[in-house]
């Protein structure tokens, strides 16, 4: 009777303890397993390659690049992302090349010997106005200027991405590949976007409904787009109406606009990524 009465009424403290236990177990497993098999890695020049690979066309290989901070949650995500990159990199069907974590905290952190990393400067203090993602385009600008990148293509990724299978190069020559986001809608926001994409550039439908990640793009194209992406991001953040309208996706719109300004159109691939949404119930 008492057992049936209490069934389904789990103590919240027990749930917290179980969650904490799972977190640390996963963290420690990834720490030991990743170091035990491949050993520590260190990279400061952005090369990031672990050596030659077979079964992939060198001309199609792409460099995996993600921006990150030295915050604990960002470090934890980066380690998991890097672990699954190593798991999938050499499997059939993969065009993955080197890997670089672009750390825009301005100083080395505790993962320098584990994940190939280049340290770059953050924006000047106060410039991001509390929107830390604004450092992302500036980080890419610095990395592209300073790094030796062997691959002709780059995959712009994020720490919370996980490779669930080997990833081929989805780009086709000068047409990059990107994932279309349902919440990026240039035509609905034409009035705002005209501040940054003038009418002489054509209809706003030329702006792809994408963010900067995930995107596979030619290195030469990104070298041209990245400075524009940075400048448009800063201008959008400084414009109160744009900042209010776009909120946390502002920098995504900025990349889409910057690409369109350079006449770059992306192949929209819904099979590029699986989105997992967190649902909170009360």
């Amino acid at each position: 009777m008492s057992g049936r009465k209490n069934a389904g009424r789990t103590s919240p403290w027990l749930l917290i303890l179980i969650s904490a236990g799972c977190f640390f177990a996963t963290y420690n497993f990834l720490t030991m397993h990743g170091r035990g098999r491949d050993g520590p890695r260190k990279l400061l020049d952005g090369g990031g390659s672990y050596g030659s690979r077979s079964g992939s066309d060198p001309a199609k290989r792409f460099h995996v690049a993600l921006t990150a901070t030295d915050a604990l949650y960002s470090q934890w995500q980066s380690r998991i992302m890097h672990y699954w990159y190593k798991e999938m990199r050499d499997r059939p069907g993969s065009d993955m090349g080197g890997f670089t974590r672009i750390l825009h905290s301005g100083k080395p952190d505790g993962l320098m010997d584990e994940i190939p990393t280049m340290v770059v400067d953050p924006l000047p203090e106060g410039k991001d106005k509390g929107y830390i993602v604004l450092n992302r385009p500036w980080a890419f600008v610095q990395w592209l200027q300073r790094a030796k990148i062997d691959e002709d293509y780059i995959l712009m990724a994020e720490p919370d991405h996980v490779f669930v299978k080997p990833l081929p190069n989805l780009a086709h020559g000068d047409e990059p590949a990107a994932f279309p986001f349902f919440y990026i809608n240039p035509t609905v926001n034409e009035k705002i976007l005209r501040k940054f994409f003038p009418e002489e550039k054509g209809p706003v439908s030329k702006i792809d409904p994408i963010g900067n990640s995930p995107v596979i793009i030619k290195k030469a194209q990104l070298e041209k787009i990245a400075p524009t992406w940075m400048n448009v991001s800063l201008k959008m953040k400084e414009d109160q109406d744009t900042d209010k309208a776009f909120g946390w996706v502002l920098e995504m719109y900025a990349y889409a606009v910057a690409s369109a300004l350079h006449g770059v159109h992306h192949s929209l691939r819904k099979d590029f990524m699986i989105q997992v949404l967190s649902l909170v119930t009360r």
Side-chain angles (χ1 to χ4, degrees):
M1 291 292 291
S2 61
R4 186 178 296 273
K5 179 180 179 181
N6 291 323
R9 297 181 58 188
T10 307
S11 167
W13 291 108
L14 178 59
L15 293 176
I16 292 173
L17 289 173
I18 292 174
S19 299
C22 291
F23 172 87
F24 287 111
T26 303
Y27 185 88
N28 290 331
F29 170 76
L30 292 174
T31 302
M32 294 184 293
H33 189 63
R35 289 186 177 179
R37 189 180 66 172
D38 289 308
R41 305 288 181 182
K42 185 174 182 179
L43 180 71
L44 296 177
D45 65 357
S49 177
Y50 288 131
S52 61
R53 295 176 52 244
S54 60
S56 175
D57 181 357
K60 295 181 64 178
R61 289 180 197 158
F62 55 82
H63 195 99
V64 180
L66 66 148
T67 58
T69 71
D70 58 2
L72 180 60
Y73 78 92
S74 182
Q75 292 180 329
W76 187 73
Q77 289 177 330
S78 297
R79 296 183 80 180
I80 293 176
M81 199 276 193
H82 182 237
Y83 171 84
W84 284 107
Y85 154 80
K86 291 188 294 181
E87 285 290 307
M88 299 297 173
R89 182 192 64 204
D90 294 324
R91 295 188 183 185
S94 166
D95 286 321
M96 299 180 191
F99 185 103
T100 301
R101 179 182 64 132
I102 309 171
L103 183 64
H104 56 75
S105 300
K107 59 184 183 301
D109 65 359
L111 299 183
M112 302 298 294
D113 290 335
E114 181 180 340
I115 303 177
T117 299
M118 171 179 275
V119 179
V120 297
D121 294 324
L123 290 168
E125 186 175 357
K127 194 67 174 178
D128 62 12
K129 300 179 185 287
Y131 180 54
I132 196 168
V133 185
L134 214 58
N135 287 278
R136 183 172 172 80
W138 171 225
F140 268 104
V141 168
Q142 295 175 80
W143 178 63
L144 289 165
Q145 290 175 344
R146 294 163 47 189
K148 181 182 180 299
I149 308 165
D150 295 329
E151 298 84 356
D152 290 333
Y153 290 87
I154 292 169
L155 164 64
M156 289 192 286
E158 299 182 26
D160 60 354
H161 289 172
V162 174
F163 292 103
V164 296
K165 64 180 182 179
L167 183 63
N169 188 340
L170 301 176
H172 298 284
D174 291 333
E175 185 177 52
F179 180 82
F181 291 94
F182 69 88
Y183 48 81
I184 302 296
N185 198 327
T187 55
V188 171
N189 294 285
E190 178 172 5
K191 184 178 180 181
I192 292 176
L193 290 174
R194 281 304 184 193
K195 298 179 181 180
F196 314 97
F197 191 77
E199 290 189 6
E200 56 264 29
K201 288 293 184 178
V204 293
S205 58
K206 286 188 174 182
I207 302 174
D208 294 324
I210 62 171
N212 64 83
S213 173
V215 167
I216 298 179
I217 186 171
K218 272 190 172 180
K219 177 175 60 180
Q221 290 176 306
L222 187 57
E223 287 173 341
K224 296 177 181 179
I225 293 173
T228 307
W229 172 25
M230 179 188 71
N231 291 329
V232 172
S233 295
L234 293 172
K235 289 178 181 177
M236 283 185 170
K237 189 62 180 176
E238 291 168 357
D239 185 269
Q240 292 185 356
D241 292 336
T242 305
D243 188 21
K244 182 178 180 180
F246 291 163
W248 65 275
V249 298
L250 179 148
E251 168 262 350
M252 297 173 68
Y253 269 105
Y255 174 79
V257 169
S259 300
L261 288 172
H262 285 274
V264 175
H265 170 72
H266 298 71
S267 172
L268 304 181
R269 299 290 301 259
K270 291 185 178 181
D271 58 345
F272 201 153
M273 182 174 70
I274 301 171
Q275 294 188 90
V276 178
L277 302 177
S278 297
L279 300 179
V280 179
T281 59
R282 295 188 179 183

